[in-house]
Amino acid sequence: MNRYVLAVHIVLFLWALFNLLRIPRSPTETLSWIYFVIFVPIFGPLAYLVLGERHFRTKPDVGTSILANPFEEGEISVNLRNCAKLSATSVTASNSFYITANPNESLNLIREKLAAAQESIYVEFYIIQNDTIGTLILETLIAKAAAGVKVYLIYDWYGSFLISRSKLKMLRQAGGHVTSFSPIELIFKALNPNLRNHRKLILVDGKTAISGSANIGRKYIGKKRRDQNRDYLFSLSGPVCDQLERIFVKDWNFCSLDKITTIHVPVRKSPDAIPVVVIDSGPHRFQETFHLTIISLIHTAKHSIRIATPYFVPSEPLLYGLKVVAQKGIRIELIIPLKSDSPWVDLASTSFARELSEVGVQVHRFKSRMLHSKIITIDERVAVVGTPNFDYRSFRLNYELAFVMESEIVSQAISAIFDEDLKNSYPFNTSKRRRPLRYAENLARVLSPLL
């Protein structure tokens, strides 16, 4: 190695090492990066700059504003109160719940809620595709803004890189407001291109909200296509929208110089409201709130756990937690895609799935198309839905939005989607894994903290 190249590499390595040790990290993640920056001259430290830095150079939040709990003390389980504590938030309520995994119904749900808007529409999505569906939604927002409705749109600069700029211009001209997460012109944010806003949220008049696993585009919603993802969207209403508005306003003020404040009066809880904990997770938080909540919930299981995820790359605490729970005799069902949009992640996922199947976890491969759903249910009573995947990126890097709900009715509706996915899956067979393939899977697993 040229001595000048070596000198540059040493300087970059020391810089990367300083940043790696600046905040507490898991030993596995830290060692993976140290080995990578040592043995890959120049490009290793540069890759760390792009992919390894977790926090923006701003003071992290301690949590969402703690609001008054709309439930009486005896109405909320210890389990849900613990989730709220781990998420640095409070238990809130939804007066309704509706979920659909039908792509046409998902599109109709969005169009119906947007059409009903009278005062405001807040939209925050990771991906808004430049296709017929993306155009339809943007044109609806333009029409609403022209009619006097306050429209605010946040899109992720990376995920929505191909979004229609002409439609965004028309939305601004109609009186709407648009900003992107991590815009390239803001230098301190551009230094963290690995951090993405993975949230999916539509909030109408401060009263009704839509979230879920689906982005906006033909790949996710609308007329069913052969290459369309398997996704879902759900709607909520009531006091939960107050928390969601606060999260949106915080995200908007982070991305835009045009600051806004919450404007809606919180809606009252109905007598049959569903207890909800909203998890606002991301690198802006001191703790990995979604990660901690899932670890906690897994250990509360009494008889069953069901997980469906497109990317299964669990942390060590989650992996060992699932193994311990499985060996206690608790039924664990896991659905992962046969083929996702990331071959490297697929290899790592298969290695983890193989280890879990050996201790009794029932692993299934979704075969018909890309499984993009994110579902967790515990004992057919507690359900976790929203935007996070079961991987390091969702635990530590992405801005995510998840909902923990304690309701048998909600859990049954979500389990019905899970049951339908099982019909389109087949059992994972570890005996058919050839040795070279196992080596590749285990190698991808070693590098999983870097994915």
Side-chain angles (χ1 to χ4, degrees):
M1 182 184 298
N2 183 287
R3 62 180 179 177
Y4 296 109
V5 174
L6 178 60
V8 171
H9 177 65
I10 291 173
V11 171
L12 289 174
F13 166 71
L14 292 175
W15 168 85
L17 183 64
F18 172 79
N19 281 276
L20 276 165
L21 301 178
R22 182 171 52 87
I23 59 174
R25 301 172 187 258
S26 74
T28 302
E29 179 187 6
T30 303
L31 287 173
S32 296
W33 274 117
I34 288 176
Y35 292 146
F36 192 72
V37 299
I38 287 177
F39 295 113
V40 183
I42 306 298
F43 293 103
L46 292 178
Y48 170 75
L49 170 64
V50 175
L51 302 174
E53 281 291 276
R54 184 184 310 164
H55 290 277
F56 284 116
R57 304 297 185 175
T58 55
K59 184 178 180 180
D61 295 332
V62 294
T64 306
S65 301
I66 304 297
L67 306 176
N69 187 338
F71 292 93
E72 298 295 331
E73 184 69 23
E75 294 182 286
I76 303 298
S77 69
V78 173
N79 197 10
L80 211 60
R81 289 202 300 269
N82 287 338
C83 289
K85 185 176 181 180
L86 289 169
S87 303
T89 186
S90 53
V91 179
T92 184
S94 179
N95 292 342
S96 64
F97 177 81
Y98 169 76
I99 188 168
T100 178
N102 181 295
N104 258 326
E105 291 179 4
S106 293
L107 176 59
N108 291 336
L109 175 65
I110 293 176
R111 297 181 69 182
E112 173 192 334
K113 299 303 181 185
L114 292 181
Q118 299 294 319
E119 300 174 5
S120 66
I121 299 173
Y122 296 156
V123 179
E124 183 171 7
F125 269 81
Y126 175 55
I127 295 175
I128 301 177
Q129 291 185 319
N130 188 4
D131 60 16
T132 54
I133 300 298
T135 299
L136 174 64
I137 299 304
L138 289 176
E139 288 178 345
T140 302
L141 296 179
I142 292 167
K144 282 294 181 179
V149 176
K150 295 179 180 179
V151 176
Y152 289 85
L153 169 64
I154 302 173
Y155 65 92
D156 185 82
W157 181 85
Y158 177 87
S160 299
F161 186 76
L162 298 178
I163 191 172
S164 173
R165 309 294 167 177
S166 62
K167 294 299 180 184
L168 295 182
K169 182 179 180 181
M170 292 173 63
L171 179 55
R172 291 188 178 99
Q173 291 173 341
H177 306 267
V178 181
T179 190
S180 63
F181 178 87
S182 194
I184 199 69
E185 62 268 20
L186 297 182
I187 301 301
F188 84 99
K189 296 179 184 179
L191 291 176
N192 296 273
N194 192 44
L195 303 181
R196 301 166 193 166
N197 189 328
H198 198 241
R199 306 193 207 272
K200 291 93 176 169
L201 175 64
I202 296 175
L203 187 60
V204 176
D205 294 339
K207 299 176 181 178
T208 305
I210 297 174
S211 188
S213 66
N215 291 293
I216 292 178
R218 291 193 302 171
K219 186 177 180 181
Y220 308 94
I221 57 177
K223 184 178 179 181
K224 190 173 180 180
R225 297 158 52 89
R226 182 177 299 176
D227 60 344
Q228 193 175 55
N229 288 352
R230 170 64 169 175
D231 268 302
Y232 66 81
L233 285 177
F234 59 87
S235 65
L236 304 169
S237 64
V240 66
C241 293
D242 188 26
Q243 276 200 11
L244 294 173
E245 182 175 13
R246 290 167 185 263
I247 291 170
F248 181 91
V249 166
K250 183 173 60 177
D251 288 349
W252 177 273
N253 290 340
F254 177 76
C255 298
S256 174
L257 299 177
D258 179 21
K259 307 302 180 185
I260 61 174
T261 59
T262 55
I263 60 174
H264 296 98
V265 176
V267 180
R268 290 187 177 182
K269 175 180 79 71
S270 65
D272 57 348
I274 302 162
V276 182
V277 173
V278 179
I279 306 177
D280 161 30
S281 66
H284 61 304
R285 302 290 294 273
F286 277 116
Q287 299 199 48
E288 298 166 3
T289 50
F290 177 71
H291 191 196
L292 292 174
T293 302
I294 299 307
I295 292 172
S296 174
L297 285 174
I298 282 173
H299 287 284
T300 66
K302 298 293 191 298
H303 57 80
S304 69
I305 297 174
R306 308 183 101 183
I307 300 169
T309 180
Y311 313 116
F312 185 69
V313 187
S315 64
E316 285 190 4
L318 275 171
L319 177 67
Y320 289 121
L322 290 170
K323 290 176 69 174
V324 168
V325 169
Q327 292 182 85
K328 286 182 179 178
I330 293 172
R331 179 187 178 90
I332 302 179
E333 296 172 283
L334 169 65
I335 305 178
I336 56 177
L338 175 62
K339 185 179 181 181
S340 75
D341 54 5
S342 175
W344 194 252
V345 173
D346 288 343
L347 288 172
S349 296
T350 304
S351 177
F352 289 110
R354 178 160 33 89
E355 182 174 349
L356 288 175
S357 68
E358 291 170 355
V359 296
V361 174
Q362 298 178 27
V363 181
H364 303 267
R365 307 297 293 266
F366 190 80
K367 58 186 177 181
S368 60
R369 47 200 166 110
M370 165 68 174
L371 176 74
H372 197 244
S373 295
K374 304 97 165 46
I375 290 173
I376 303 173
T377 63
I378 311 290
D379 295 339
E380 298 292 330
R381 180 165 182 80
V382 177
V384 184
V385 288
T387 68
N389 299 309
F390 214 92
D391 65 355
Y392 280 85
R393 175 169 290 280
S394 286
F395 298 152
R396 298 174 178 175
L397 290 173
N398 288 346
Y399 285 68
E400 302 281 5
L401 192 61
F403 301 78
V404 183
M405 288 173 274
E406 189 166 25
S407 163
E408 290 183 4
I409 294 175
V410 169
S411 294
Q412 288 170 5
I414 294 169
S415 283
I417 295 175
F418 192 97
D419 289 336
E420 191 175 340
D421 291 341
L422 276 179
K423 295 176 183 177
N424 291 304
S425 306
Y426 67 89
F428 176 66
N429 191 336
T430 59
S431 63
K432 294 183 179 181
R433 314 305 293 178
R434 295 182 178 180
R435 184 169 295 178
L437 184 57
R438 288 177 180 242
Y439 287 154
E441 292 166 355
N442 292 339
L443 175 62
R445 175 175 175 163
V446 170
L447 299 176
S448 61
L450 315 183
L451 297 177

